[in-house]
Amino acid sequence: MKKIGVVTGTRAEYGLLKPLIKVLDKAENLQLQLLVTGMHLMPEFGNTYLQIEKDGFHIDAKIDDGLIGDSAISITKAVGNALVGFAKALKNLNPDMIIVLGDRSEIFAAVTAAMMTNIPVAHIHGGETTEGAYDEFIRHAITKMSHLHFTSTATYRNRVIQLGEHPSRVFNVGAIGVDSIRQVNFLDKEAFEESISKKLDRMAVLITFHPVTLENATAASQFGELLKALDLMADTTLIFTKPNSDRDGRIIVKMIDEYVTKNPQKAVAFTSLGQLRYLSALKYVDFVIGNSSSGILEVPYFKIPTIDIGDRQKGRLAPESVIHCSPKFENINEAIVKARTKIFLSSIQDQPSLYGDGHATGKIIEQIKIFDVSNTKKSFYDLNPDCFEKF
């Protein structure tokens, strides 16, 4: 019986991992251990660990990182607290392996503690690039501390190998978020409208905007430019989902609250829609705007446009339905106009799938079952020297 720890720190990440958690919870010869941290344990972000429990999962450890505020110092202290907390939790639970997704600071702490405890790590969504956020550095650091890698495209698989990971341990399984899209029972339109207390009898837009953490103090100005563009959209319902606990995120939260207060007839905001409401929203909105990774990874499967603003997601492979623009009012407005044209909408209906077929979970479970957890040593995989001649 292999004990497999799954780490989750945010509502969005939990939504992506949920299909995998479900299978692990019922799998023979695998014992699920759920380690919950970060925003899940913060009242400010909805205490979303309660949703995990409501879904019927037992939480084996809660690691409170003590995050207060969104300054660089606060987040750095939280990483330190999380590192200590995960060291204790891993000692108590003694998993044979932990599974992590992505690139957030609390995940970095969990993986560092696992490395020090000689526990192998399986990493989902490595090899990707997001040049506007410090997540970029965290993601690649996690790759180097991990033993199994599950990437979302062949290009990202190649990049993980380029980082020195042996090809036999790197698997292109597609984006795990697509599994949820394939499996979820969406809310019908009436139930969704009731859940957000808004009728969708006109155009509707879903907005998720996070700070660009490798830029200094740009959150307010960039989000202000977006709000100016949204102001021009008459007869439109605006559904805001609030940002994560990134540096300067609370600035955006405050601006959202003020905007909704001034525009109650057209705007509504949520700390967390949750997976079911979020995916259901994608069935009924006309397009998505902001700078969330979901706009590139999951939204395209609904054949609607994504307007990706600024550099936070710069470097990710994006399908044709993603319109990139700068964080300036004029460029955002131009992108909105393009997203509403019949020509563009028609052009994206048959776009190819970049991020898999929605069967990532089974491929991940297959490799975890056969992986030898007793061997945490690994050699650096060197590329052929001929690759470097042109440099």
Side-chain angles (χ1 to χ4, degrees):
M1 179 71 74
K2 283 183 183 175
K3 294 184 291 184
I4 308 297
V6 178
V7 181
T8 175
T10 74
R11 70 207 183 221
E13 171 195 74
Y14 168 67
L16 299 176
L17 288 169
K18 189 174 176 181
L20 180 63
I21 293 170
K22 277 181 166 179
V23 174
L24 284 171
D25 197 34
K26 298 181 178 177
E28 294 182 6
N29 302 320
L30 295 176
Q31 178 186 338
L32 171 67
Q33 294 179 328
L34 206 49
L35 295 87
V36 172
T37 188
M39 291 168 57
H40 285 307
L41 306 180
M42 300 174 68
E44 178 181 1
F45 294 98
N47 276 336
T48 47
Y49 77 90
L50 295 171
Q51 182 61 54
I52 298 174
E53 294 178 337
K54 185 178 178 182
D55 288 339
F57 299 119
H58 171 71
I59 297 175
D60 295 272
K62 294 177 183 174
I63 299 92
D64 186 355
D65 60 15
L67 178 62
I68 300 174
D70 58 2
S71 68
I73 291 176
S74 295
I75 293 171
T76 303
K77 287 181 177 178
V79 172
N81 293 335
L83 184 57
V84 173
F86 274 107
K88 293 176 180 177
L90 294 175
K91 180 180 179 181
N92 292 334
L93 295 175
N94 192 29
D96 295 296
M97 169 181 279
I98 67 167
I99 300 174
V100 300
L101 184 149
D103 43 40
R104 289 186 55 81
S105 56
E106 63 268 21
I107 301 303
F108 176 71
V111 172
T112 303
M115 177 191 65
M116 297 295 184
T117 318
N118 210 29
I119 296 171
V121 175
H123 183 209
I124 301 171
H125 276 287
E128 302 178 13
T129 55
T130 51
E131 296 176 15
Y134 53 57
D135 301 359
E136 168 84 356
F137 311 131
I138 294 173
R139 186 184 311 109
H140 300 324
I142 290 173
T143 288
K144 293 312 302 173
M145 292 188 283
S146 298
H147 302 78
L148 275 179
H149 309 273
F150 300 107
T151 69
S152 59
T153 72
T155 297
Y156 298 149
R157 177 178 185 266
N158 292 341
R159 191 170 288 137
V160 170
I161 294 169
Q162 185 180 338
L163 286 167
E165 300 302 296
H166 198 281
S168 66
R169 294 187 177 196
V170 190
F171 304 91
N172 171 27
V173 299
I176 194 170
V178 182
D179 291 30
S180 293
I181 296 171
R182 188 175 61 84
Q183 297 172 18
V184 73
N185 293 317
F186 297 101
L187 296 173
D188 62 35
K189 188 174 182 180
E190 184 177 351
F192 177 70
E193 290 174 330
E194 183 177 349
S195 77
I196 66 168
S197 300
K198 284 284 181 187
K199 295 291 288 185
L200 301 182
D201 50 5
R202 54 185 182 175
M203 177 168 284
V205 179
L206 184 63
I207 307 109
T208 307
F209 192 87
H210 301 287
V212 185
T213 53
L214 286 181
E215 298 173 356
N216 290 320
T218 61
S221 61
Q222 291 187 4
F223 193 61
E225 296 288 289
L226 170 56
L227 292 180
K228 283 168 57 179
L230 295 175
D231 265 340
L232 295 182
M233 298 186 67
D235 297 321
T236 304
T237 298
L238 305 177
I239 306 170
F240 290 90
T241 62
K242 294 182 180 179
N244 291 329
S245 57
D246 292 331
R247 191 179 71 211
D248 293 338
R250 286 167 175 81
I251 296 171
I252 295 173
V253 170
K254 181 180 179 183
M255 293 175 72
I256 291 173
D257 289 340
E258 290 174 348
Y259 189 88
V260 171
T261 299
K262 292 178 182 177
N263 300 275
Q265 74 286 352
K266 68 182 292 187
V268 62
F270 298 90
T271 299
S272 173
L273 277 174
Q275 183 192 48
L276 176 59
R277 282 197 301 174
Y278 179 80
L279 293 178
S280 297
L282 298 180
K283 284 182 62 69
Y284 306 121
V285 300
D286 293 273
F287 63 87
V288 170
I289 189 167
N291 59 7
S292 168
S293 60
S294 178
I296 294 174
L297 297 174
E298 288 95 44
V299 174
Y301 288 85
F302 292 83
K303 309 298 184 184
I304 61 173
T306 294
I307 298 175
D308 177 54
I309 300 172
D311 287 346
R312 185 177 172 98
Q313 301 300 332
K314 185 178 180 181
R316 282 197 196 273
L317 299 175
E320 296 171 5
S321 58
V322 178
I323 304 169
H324 299 289
C325 68
S326 73
K328 299 292 184 183
F329 164 75
E330 295 81 3
N331 300 114
I332 296 170
N333 193 48
E334 288 173 5
I336 291 173
V337 171
K338 179 178 180 179
R340 298 172 67 176
T341 62
K342 291 182 179 179
I343 292 176
F344 182 75
L345 289 171
S346 176
S347 72
I348 66 176
Q349 297 309 304
D350 297 318
Q351 66 181 351
S353 170
L354 293 184
Y355 287 98
D357 57 6
H359 292 86
T361 295
K363 297 171 186 176
I364 292 170
I365 292 290
E366 179 183 351
Q367 296 303 322
I368 287 172
K369 283 182 175 179
I370 64 176
F371 183 75
D372 180 7
V373 295
S374 67
N375 182 14
T376 55
K377 295 178 181 178
K378 61 177 187 177
S379 300
F380 195 97
Y381 181 78
D382 289 309
L383 299 178
N384 188 316
D386 293 341
C387 296
F388 303 102
E389 285 187 358
K390 64 180 180 179
F391 301 110

